[in-house]
Amino acid sequence: MANHKSAIKRIRQEKKRALHNKYYAKTMRNAVRKLRAITDKEEAVKLYPTVQKMLDKLTKTNIIHKNKAANLKSKLAMHINKLG
């Protein structure tokens, strides 16, 4: 267990930050799932920019890795192109 006041505070901050990051990561995963479940191309094309923006924001704040975001965007774009 932590012996210093600063270490105890750091633990509190990390818990709070982890909870915050988990919320946004889960929201992103749900948005990706929702987009993958769509079978209508027009609807998917409308939703894609919002998901893409979300991925970029999470990458910028280091919640997800930039390569993971790039892979997800690429796969989602491929999914949308296959719809017809």
Side-chain angles (χ1 to χ4, degrees):
M1 190 63 202
N3 293 322
H4 295 279
K5 264 183 143 178
S6 60
I8 293 167
K9 181 179 178 182
R10 179 70 55 202
I11 290 168
R12 278 198 320 264
Q13 288 174 329
E14 286 169 359
K15 281 183 187 175
K16 189 174 179 182
R17 210 170 283 131
L19 187 65
H20 178 265
N21 290 346
K22 195 185 296 183
Y23 168 78
Y24 283 104
K26 184 68 175 176
T27 305
M28 177 267 305
R29 283 197 301 273
N30 287 338
V32 169
R33 263 190 222 114
K34 184 178 175 185
L35 184 59
R36 282 198 180 125
I38 292 174
T39 54
D40 181 34
K41 188 167 185 166
E42 286 180 30
E43 200 177 326
V45 169
K46 281 184 192 173
L47 185 63
Y48 181 68
T50 58
V51 174
Q52 189 175 14
K53 186 177 179 181
M54 187 185 298
L55 289 167
D56 290 337
K57 281 184 177 181
L58 294 178
T59 301
K60 191 170 79 173
T61 56
N62 288 322
I63 294 174
I64 61 170
H65 196 271
K66 65 179 183 175
N67 291 349
K68 180 177 179 68
N71 286 335
L72 283 171
K73 287 192 287 187
S74 172
K75 291 208 172 104
L76 289 172
M78 281 172 35
H79 170 72
I80 291 170
N81 286 334
K82 285 180 186 174
L83 295 175

